[in-house]
Amino acid sequence: MSHQQQHEHSHQQGQRHAGPPNSTKEKQQQQQRLLRQKKHVKQKAHTKHPQQQQSLQHQQQQQQLPDTCASLHPALTARAAKEAAPWKMQGVTEALMQDTRNYMRAQGMPVPYAYTRLLIENGTLFLTSLPPRLGSALADGRQYSGETLGMLLELYETSTRYQLPDMELVLYSGDEPNVGYGSDEKCKPWMIPLMSFARGEDRCSVVVPYSGVFRCGEDNFDHLLGLLPEADIPWDERKQIAFGRYNIFCAYWYNTGAARFPDGSPMPCARSFLRDLSKTHTDKLDIHEIGALKEYFTPLTHQRAFRYLVNTDGWTASGKLERYLLLGSVVLNQASRRFGYYYDALEPFVNFVPYYVHNASDILQVQASLC
């Protein structure tokens, strides 16, 4: 037998003698390979493409979200249904948009800076009109409201989180929407669904939350809400004074004599009247105009030191009321021709105490009845 044949014979013999140990080892290796493959397949099944993963997370979030409509006060849903009814069947068309623009121009009202067209499509919010730059003065000296940016942010987050249905709307960020003044005939669906923060029964807009002040501006709602209840002041330590601080804005109906008390007497501008009344009743009222230099400015967090907080209209319903309701004081609220989206859910003598009901100075009698 040659040397090579001896080597091959020896190798074959070695393989035969080593057969059982090597066979066991191979089985172990094969089992380990199968385990690794199963583990890889399992990991691959749970590993999604980034877009698939985001979609899955979004679906899980959607399943966890509460039914916001079910949690709303019935008065809010009733108000929304009433105001949206004219467009429920017809929807919003470009023709309605154009008709509204034509109407405003015919009435001598140029399309104002405070109207912003918006589109929600596939859960994404789009601006379909270009508003003036923040802080840029317009021809009439007015400036674009920074609070509108807060409103757009809130609407964007809501549309993304809750997948709002596709819609087109117009947001009015001023005090009084110009469209739809007059009889109920102007609320027919030939005009756009106009969203505003406040209105009266003589307007046709759909009232929505004044969410621009939720996180924007001084003493915003979110900031005050975050302070509760740690920063609360015990009732016995609050001053027994009716407190108010305002800029003197007076709505147009005071000057025209359209606003009158039940006895027929004309209703003066509440802010200026109460400021003057306070000068002769310093033991009961502390009401001042903030002033050009803000010499009487008082943060809302400091106003909780008073038992009674006086809320008044400005050019329209005040955006301060919802924040006053957080402070734990008794809110004296002016009887008003204007309302916000949540006013229907408030109850007199439960959530607030009304004044300016019988005459301009009845706040003194109201306060005395509470002491």
Side-chain angles (χ1 to χ4, degrees):
M1 182 182 292
S2 67
H3 177 72
Q4 182 177 359
Q5 291 174 333
Q6 289 179 348
H7 176 73
E8 291 176 353
H9 178 74
S10 298
H11 180 67
Q12 292 172 357
Q13 290 291 329
Q15 284 182 329
R16 283 195 294 268
H17 288 295
N22 286 345
S23 176
T24 302
K25 186 176 180 180
E26 287 177 358
K27 288 181 179 179
Q28 291 175 346
Q29 290 175 348
Q30 185 177 10
Q31 289 176 350
Q32 290 176 355
R33 283 195 300 270
L34 290 173
L35 288 174
R36 285 196 298 269
Q37 289 176 356
K38 290 180 179 179
K39 185 176 180 181
H40 175 71
V41 170
K42 186 176 181 180
Q43 288 177 341
K44 187 175 181 180
H46 288 280
T47 303
K48 305 283 186 182
H49 186 276
Q51 292 182 349
Q52 294 176 327
Q53 189 71 21
Q54 291 177 1
S55 177
L56 178 62
Q57 291 174 354
H58 179 73
Q59 292 175 6
Q60 292 172 344
Q61 290 175 356
Q62 292 292 328
Q63 293 173 356
Q64 297 172 359
L65 292 176
D67 184 347
T68 54
C69 293
S71 63
L72 289 177
H73 191 285
L76 271 61
T77 55
R79 165 67 64 180
K82 175 185 176 181
E83 294 180 339
W87 298 276
K88 184 176 181 179
M89 300 300 295
Q90 176 174 321
V92 181
T93 65
E94 180 61 29
L96 287 181
M97 293 286 185
Q98 188 60 48
D99 287 346
T100 301
R101 288 192 291 267
N102 293 339
Y103 166 76
M104 293 172 64
R105 293 191 178 100
Q107 298 297 317
M109 297 181 294
V111 180
Y113 73 109
Y115 290 84
T116 304
R117 286 183 59 180
L118 303 169
L119 172 68
I120 298 174
E121 187 174 21
N122 297 326
T124 302
L125 177 69
F126 299 93
L127 278 172
T128 54
S129 65
L130 186 62
R133 187 178 63 181
L134 176 63
S136 60
L138 302 176
D140 59 1
R142 294 176 295 179
Q143 293 185 347
Y144 186 68
S145 172
E147 293 171 352
T148 303
L149 301 181
M151 172 64 182
L152 296 177
L153 178 59
E154 292 282 341
L155 188 54
Y156 167 76
E157 292 180 343
T158 303
S159 65
T160 301
R161 182 175 174 83
Y162 291 97
Q163 286 291 304
L164 297 179
D166 293 352
M167 67 180 74
E168 189 166 11
L169 55 94
V170 173
L171 172 67
Y172 181 76
S173 58
D175 294 293
E176 279 290 323
N178 293 327
V179 178
Y181 177 77
S183 67
D184 290 340
E185 291 300 317
K186 290 187 172 60
C187 294
K188 295 289 179 67
W190 59 263
M191 55 177 295
I192 58 175
L194 183 65
M195 311 293 173
S196 67
F197 306 132
R199 76 173 183 92
E201 294 297 345
D202 58 349
R203 303 284 172 162
C204 302
S205 60
V206 179
V207 286
V208 295
Y210 191 23
S211 54
V213 297
F214 285 177
R215 69 178 74 183
C216 300
E218 297 175 291
D219 291 329
N220 63 71
F221 188 94
D222 289 355
H223 171 66
L224 294 174
L225 190 62
L227 295 177
L228 301 177
E230 291 79 4
D232 200 11
I233 298 176
W235 181 258
D236 292 341
E237 297 179 13
R238 300 190 185 213
K239 300 176 183 178
Q240 200 165 320
I241 296 288
F243 186 90
R245 291 291 185 272
Y246 325 102
N247 291 309
I248 303 299
F249 299 138
C250 297
Y252 67 88
W253 54 83
Y254 294 121
N255 298 325
T256 62
R260 294 183 177 273
F261 289 108
D263 62 2
S265 60
M267 187 179 292
C269 175
R271 291 191 176 184
S272 56
F273 180 87
L274 293 175
R275 174 199 60 193
D276 297 339
L277 185 67
S278 177
K279 295 176 182 178
T280 57
H281 295 81
T282 55
D283 58 327
K284 297 180 177 64
L285 305 176
D286 184 356
I287 299 175
H288 287 279
E289 180 180 3
I290 291 176
L293 300 178
K294 294 191 174 183
E295 54 268 29
Y296 283 104
F297 173 76
T298 306
L300 293 185
T301 50
H302 295 178
Q303 295 186 30
R304 68 177 67 203
F306 299 87
R307 291 189 180 184
Y308 313 106
L309 297 177
V310 183
N311 185 61
T312 67
D313 283 350
W315 280 320
T316 188
S318 172
K320 193 186 294 182
L321 178 58
E322 56 259 48
R323 289 174 283 169
Y324 266 171
L325 293 171
L326 293 175
L327 300 182
S329 301
V330 174
V331 178
L332 307 182
N333 191 42
Q334 177 193 351
S336 174
R337 300 161 57 104
R338 294 299 185 255
F339 55 85
Y341 81 101
Y342 63 96
Y343 280 35
D344 291 345
L346 300 179
E347 296 183 44
F349 302 103
V350 175
N351 305 110
F352 66 90
V353 178
Y355 73 95
Y356 228 59
V357 177
H358 304 290
N359 55 67
S361 59
D362 65 1
I363 190 173
L364 297 174
Q365 291 75 38
V366 170
Q367 184 193 14
S369 69
L370 297 172
C371 295

